Amino acid sequence: MVGGGIVGLAVAWRCRQRGLRVTVHDGGDDDAAWYAAAGMLAPAGETSFGQEALTALLVESASRWAGFAAELTAETGLDLGLDARGTVAVALTGDDLAEAHRLWAYREERDLKVRRLVPSAVRALEPALSPRIRGGAHIPDDLQVDPRRVVAALRAALGDAVVPGRVGELPAGPVVVAAGTGTAALTGLPVRPVKGLVLRLRGEPGLLRHVIVGYADGRHVYLVPRADGELIVGATQEERADFTVTAGAVLELLRAATDLVPELAEFQLTETVVRHRPSTPDNAPLLGRWRDDVIVAAGHHRNGVLLTPVTADLIAGLVDTGRPDPLLEAFAPGRFA
Ligand code: GLY
């Protein structure tokens, strides 16, 4: 396995459960997308127009998360921070609400549950929201998990099968490439970096009860509260490969966050982190056999954490049996050739 991010580790774990011998070459945390990820498991909160096969895969993976987490916790004794209270989506202005209604309608057409709410009902669910909000919705089936805890648990489960160090070229023999943005240099496949800045704040635990997906004056922001008072604010999205934390990007996120939840201005800003989403020309992942001995599991764009369980199951199945699950069909790594 080349790549010790959340996807590579999970594939390796599933391969081991099938009795296969695995070595994971782990390039470390410095450019790993999971290290920034907030852990929203939101097929209804993150899907967008015209991505039917991807939407179906997101929904399928979301349905596998509870079982995946329970199994990993049973094996390692480690809690992954899985939380099932759902997402509250909120719109600050009338224009934001019109945009949100279009997205909610798209999701409802695909049988994803969206409960639309008037402002007073939104604020009954989340009293810390600004009185200025124009409307919102409860998306009850979304989950959240703490990706840093998931990676720690997968590393514990795999033990000395994880070998630190970046590889410059593909090792011989059957290999799975799950190297995120590094997949491009190793394979020539079109995986590009899409920069994201995420902030971590800390303050009063319980100020927010749900993950908040906000539309605020045309800006999109998500707020992911953890039980211990940590709150993740994400994320910018730029077609850039640098790691610079710009004042403007921090301002953009904090302005949207505090427009929606004014009390966040009192929170401590504890961490800024830039990582890069590994993205493809259609922003859907590359999953499946690419060359005789090379299988790819990369390019998950905004959905790496959510897609981890289904990716691990399908890719481990392919490695073990040599037969691709029909779900892999739309995601063939060679589809852009
Ligand atoms: N899934 C959230 C993000 O990529 O920012």
Side-chain angles (χ1 to χ4, degrees):
M1 172 75 52
V2 178
I6 195 165
V7 170
L9 291 170
V11 173
W13 180 53
R14 288 303 198 204
C15 284
R16 276 255 298 244
Q17 289 178 325
R18 288 170 172 263
L20 303 171
R21 224 158 36 98
V22 187
T23 301
V24 181
H25 298 277
D26 178 8
D29 305 349
D30 289 350
D31 58 5
W34 63 265
Y35 190 77
M40 299 159 64
L41 307 176
E46 286 268 301
T47 45
S48 50
F49 303 103
Q51 293 179 298
E52 301 300 336
L54 179 59
T55 303
L57 197 71
L58 294 171
V59 172
E60 177 60 35
S61 199
S63 74
R64 297 184 190 209
W65 247 107
F68 179 93
E71 235 184 290
L72 187 55
T73 293
E75 191 172 319
T76 61
L78 297 171
D79 172 34
L80 310 185
L82 190 74
D83 179 314
R85 278 172 293 180
T87 297
V88 171
V90 289
L92 191 64
T93 67
D95 284 349
D96 294 325
L97 191 57
E99 181 190 350
H101 276 305
R102 282 196 300 275
L103 278 165
W104 296 335
Y106 173 82
R107 288 164 191 150
E108 284 165 331
E109 281 161 23
R110 277 140 199 90
D111 290 334
L112 298 168
K113 266 187 237 150
V114 178
R115 201 157 57 88
R116 296 169 197 233
L117 302 169
V118 296
S120 58
V122 184
R123 294 190 68 235
L125 283 178
E126 287 292 354
L129 285 169
S130 163
R132 289 170 53 208
I133 61 161
R134 295 291 298 273
H138 184 218
I139 302 173
D141 294 335
D142 287 355
L143 304 168
Q144 69 145 302
V145 75
D146 184 337
R148 294 182 182 180
R149 288 181 183 228
V150 178
V151 167
L154 287 166
R155 284 179 174 159
L158 286 161
D160 58 13
V162 182
V163 179
R166 199 171 294 272
V167 300
E169 54 188 44
L170 292 184
V175 61
V176 177
V177 185
T181 52
T183 303
L186 289 165
T187 62
L189 287 166
V191 182
R192 71 184 197 285
V194 176
K195 180 180 177 182
L197 169 68
V198 167
L199 312 177
R200 281 178 158 72
L201 311 183
R202 188 165 283 281
E204 183 192 335
L207 179 71
L208 294 176
R209 303 163 184 173
H210 304 79
V211 171
I212 307 291
V213 173
Y215 307 88
D217 269 329
R219 300 178 307 259
H220 294 182
V221 69
Y222 48 83
L223 310 172
V224 180
R226 306 260 196 251
D228 65 358
E230 184 176 72
L231 188 129
I232 293 129
V233 181
T236 59
Q237 180 165 319
E238 292 178 275
E239 296 286 338
R240 298 176 64 102
D242 64 85
F243 282 87
T244 308
V245 177
T246 64
V250 174
L251 180 66
E252 182 191 327
L253 290 177
L254 288 181
R255 182 178 286 153
T258 54
D259 277 353
L260 293 169
V261 183
E263 272 175 76
L264 290 182
E266 304 301 324
F267 274 41
Q268 187 187 356
L269 173 60
T270 54
E271 188 182 341
T272 57
V273 52
V274 168
R275 290 292 186 273
H276 300 91
R277 304 172 184 88
S279 306
T280 65
D282 61 7
N283 289 333
L286 310 175
L287 302 174
R289 191 172 300 283
W290 178 62
R291 296 272 187 268
D292 282 350
D293 258 359
V294 182
I295 287 171
V296 176
H300 290 71
H301 187 49
R302 295 181 65 95
N303 300 302
V305 178
L306 173 55
L307 286 175
T308 289
V310 79
T311 300
D313 292 344
L314 299 180
I315 298 296
L318 179 61
V319 172
D320 187 22
T321 67
R323 285 190 305 278
D325 186 290
L327 274 177
L328 289 171
E329 218 165 275
F331 306 102
R335 67 184 180 276
F336 306 111

